[in-house]
Amino acid sequence: MFKLLKYLLFSGNKAAYRSIAREFQTNSFRVYRLAHGKRAKSNKDYKILRSLEREEIIEGVLRMN
């Protein structure tokens, strides 16, 4: 719940999160959580992380098998 409030009140990248979420048909809070360290569990998550990297919101993506 605290993370949700933090996202709603203090996030400066909400517009970028919303556009990426619209592109991948998910919610913007999921994109926010991936940007802040949540582990990717599917190919869709990795694609979202790549988009965040292109937008220069995150530095890089490590894929561990």
Side-chain angles (χ1 to χ4, degrees):
M1 171 113 170
F2 179 70
K3 289 185 187 250
L4 178 63
L5 288 174
K6 193 173 172 183
Y7 164 70
L8 291 173
L9 298 176
F10 301 115
S11 179
N13 294 321
K14 279 188 221 174
Y17 297 149
R18 284 186 190 129
S19 68
I20 292 171
R22 216 174 299 119
E23 179 183 342
F24 291 100
Q25 298 174 353
T26 187
N27 60 17
S28 58
F29 186 61
R30 180 175 178 162
V31 176
Y32 169 81
R33 290 184 67 198
L34 285 167
H36 287 93
K38 176 116 172 93
R39 288 187 182 184
K41 295 185 178 182
S42 66
N43 286 335
K44 184 182 197 179
D45 290 346
Y46 285 111
K47 290 177 184 177
I48 291 170
L49 287 171
R50 290 288 180 198
S51 293
L52 288 168
E53 186 178 27
R54 274 193 309 252
E55 294 284 329
E56 297 180 358
I57 294 173
I58 61 173
E59 290 291 319
V61 177
L62 287 176
R63 185 167 186 160
M64 301 182 79
N65 294 331

